[in-house]
Amino acid sequence: MTPVLVLNGPNLGRLGRRQPEIYGRTTHAELAHQCVAWGRDLGIDVEVRQTNHEGEMLDWLNAAADDGNPVVLNAAAWTHYSYAILDACAQLTAPLVEVHISDPHQRPEEFRHTSVVTPYAAQVVAGHGTDGYRIALEALARR
Ligand code: CA2
């Protein structure tokens, strides 16, 4: 079965360790564990990865396009400015769900109000904390 890839971008490896008032107390390791368990409940294979390196994320997205993996993507800060991420999302062949732990549109910084991912996303899940990943996996399991 083609696994669903949960791809997390820069600084999300620090989840649960800084800014809990915005991003909550769940660590990335705990989130990865939960995503795999949610996938098991939904009957889908889930693989979770996190990188601080844009080139690595691009390689993962390009491979997902070639292999037809559905993707849950939290591109973190790259969401707001990376045309390389935009081009890679445009190539995806299976559904993409964009996830944000916070709701960038409700945050005061103007730069967070733009997303290069949204035009290619079947759904955007934002502002549900790390539960947003479960919502995204449920959406992909329904397709
Ligand atoms: O709300 C989200 O999921 C974001 O994608 C998180 C990004 C931010 O740039 C986006 O605007 C919204 C930042 C990720 C940084 O993650 C940290 C987690 C814990 C502690 C420090 C940073």
Side-chain angles (χ1 to χ4, degrees), residues 24-117:
R25 295 197 177 278
T26 304
T27 65
H28 192 272
E30 289 166 345
L31 173 63
H33 196 79
Q34 285 176 337
C35 285
V36 170
W38 287 326
R40 200 178 303 125
D41 291 347
L42 293 164
I44 53 178
D45 232 13
V46 175
E47 215 176 288
V48 183
R49 303 178 195 161
Q50 189 274 327
T51 184
N52 290 335
H53 303 278
E54 192 174 4
E56 185 167 41
M57 178 64 86
L58 294 172
D59 289 345
W60 291 344
L61 289 168
N62 290 173
D66 289 344
D67 299 344
N69 302 92
V71 172
V72 172
L73 177 62
N74 185 345
W78 294 327
T79 303
H80 310 304
Y81 68 87
S82 171
Y83 295 124
I85 296 286
L86 179 156
D87 283 338
C89 289
Q91 306 297 317
L92 290 170
T93 46
L96 161 70
V97 178
E98 177 179 1
V99 169
H100 298 286
I101 297 167
S102 66
D103 184 349
H105 288 281
Q106 300 305 317
R107 293 178 65 176
E109 303 95 336
E110 204 49 51
F111 77 89
R112 294 190 202 278
H113 301 170
T114 298
S115 168
V116 301
V117 177

Side-chain angles (χ1 to χ4, degrees), residues 108-141:
E109 303 95 336
E110 204 49 51
F111 77 89
R112 294 190 202 278
H113 301 170
T114 298
S115 168
V116 301
V117 177
T118 299
Y120 305 101
Q123 196 171 323
V124 180
V125 181
H128 293 273
T130 50
D131 261 6
Y133 290 82
R134 180 178 48 74
I135 296 167
L137 291 170
E138 285 169 357
L140 287 174

